[in-house]
Amino acid sequence: AQSVTQLGSHVSVSEGALVLLRCNYSSSVPPYLFWYVQYPNQGLQLLLKYTTGATLVKGINGFEAEFKKSETSFHLTKPSAHMSDAAEYFCAVSRNQGAQKLVFGQGTRLTINP
Amino acid sequence: EAGVTQSPTHLIKTRGQQATLRCSPISGHTSVYWYQQALGLGLQFLLWYDEGEERNRGNFPPRFSGRQFPNYSSELNVNALELEDSALYLCASSLVRARSSYNSPLHFGNGTRLTVT
């Protein structure tokens, strides 16, 4: 079985500061990992995904994430937060590149302080 | 390209009634997924349809059901509504190619907010 734990249901950072959203996973097979973002009153939008190959993955809006197998982690980072980054972020794990067995974390709400 | 569209955007029902939610996938996508996003419970997988067939089902009672039409659009039906069914219901689509392991990530619609009073 696969599972995802997002550490911190709420994260608050100042505009221009580093954003770090933590995600740890559990998987009995090599995982495929995803980060999705949900803006208010909208559906989820794919930020980035890790399938195979390079462990540092770059996504949209300046976000990136690093797959660390030894730590079973896939933390999301952005060097400098922008007010428009305020949203809810979901980490997800799957057994394949698609979505048939996609398991989501509980989400982390990111607040940006001016 | 048009994204995943869901209707209605809001739906208010009373306990015991039935709700019908609709979803149109991205053109060319054959798979439709339904998720429930209830307050404090995160995203819970409901149903997966592909090529008109139900392929997988989450841990929900039988009063949650649906179908996929020949044009790949989908309908989610919730019978005998209960207060705890109040949630945002998200539909997503992806492309599944049966002869390979490739399939695209999920593309989500903006959801239908169901309120049961």
Side-chain angles (χ1 to χ4, degrees):
Chain A
Q2 297 175 300
S3 66
V4 173
T5 301
Q6 290 184 239
L7 302 176
S9 57
H10 291 87
V11 171
S12 182
V13 302
S14 299
E15 192 175 15
L18 171 71
V19 175
L20 171 60
L21 304 182
R22 299 178 188 274
C23 171
N24 288 88
Y25 70 90
S26 171
S27 179
S28 57
V29 298
Y32 293 88
L33 295 158
F34 307 79
W35 275 99
Y36 282 85
V37 59
Q38 185 179 31
Y39 297 103
N41 300 314
Q42 294 187 24
L44 276 69
Q45 179 183 2
L46 181 66
L47 267 179
L48 50 80
K49 63 177 179 178
Y50 167 79
T51 54
T52 58
T55 57
L56 182 63
V57 180
K58 294 187 184 301
I60 62 172
N61 301 338
F63 284 94
E64 62 182 36
E66 187 171 8
F67 170 60
K68 292 187 176 181
K69 184 178 179 182
S70 61
E71 298 177 10
T72 61
S73 69
F74 190 58
H75 301 333
L76 181 71
T77 60
K78 182 174 180 178
S80 178
H82 192 274
M83 295 300 291
S84 61
D85 295 327
E88 186 142 20
Y89 292 79
F90 292 90
C91 181
V93 63
S94 174
R95 291 188 293 189
N96 53 32
Q97 294 191 52
Q100 289 80 10
K101 301 294 183 183
L102 200 61
V103 175
F104 285 90
Q106 291 294 311
T108 298
R109 183 166 299 279
L110 176 64
T111 301
I112 311 296
N113 301 314
Chain B
E1 137 184 299
V4 176
T5 58
Q6 291 187 245
S7 63
T9 53
H10 292 84
L11 188 59
I12 299 174
K13 294 284 186 179
T14 57
R15 195 168 51 183
Q17 285 187 315
Q18 178 198 39
T20 298
L21 289 63
R22 296 180 176 84
C23 172
S24 292
I26 289 173
S27 177
H29 284 189
T30 60
S31 272
V32 170
Y33 308 80
W34 287 95
Y35 284 84
Q36 183 195 65
Q37 188 177 19
L39 199 61
L41 295 179
L43 277 155
Q44 304 293 320
F45 169 71
L46 262 168
L47 290 160
W48 167 36
Y49 292 95
D50 183 63
E51 296 285 356
E53 300 284 333
E54 181 178 306
R55 302 294 185 183
N56 199 6
R57 182 182 182 87
N59 189 26
F60 281 83
R63 58 190 186 81
F64 287 83
S65 65
R67 53 180 172 166
Q68 187 178 33
F69 300 99
N71 66 355
Y72 303 115
S73 67
S74 177
E75 200 172 82
L76 173 69
N77 294 292
V78 188
N79 294 319
L81 284 165
E82 300 178 2
L83 296 178
E84 52 265 35
D85 297 334
S86 295
L88 181 66
Y89 288 84
L90 291 169
C91 172
S93 73
S94 73
L95 174 63
V96 176
R97 294 177 182 171
R99 294 185 180 182
S100 74
S101 63
Y102 172 82
N103 33 70
S104 66
L106 291 178
H107 296 262
F108 282 84
N110 288 340
T112 293
R113 185 162 297 282
L114 173 64
T115 302
V116 182
T117 62

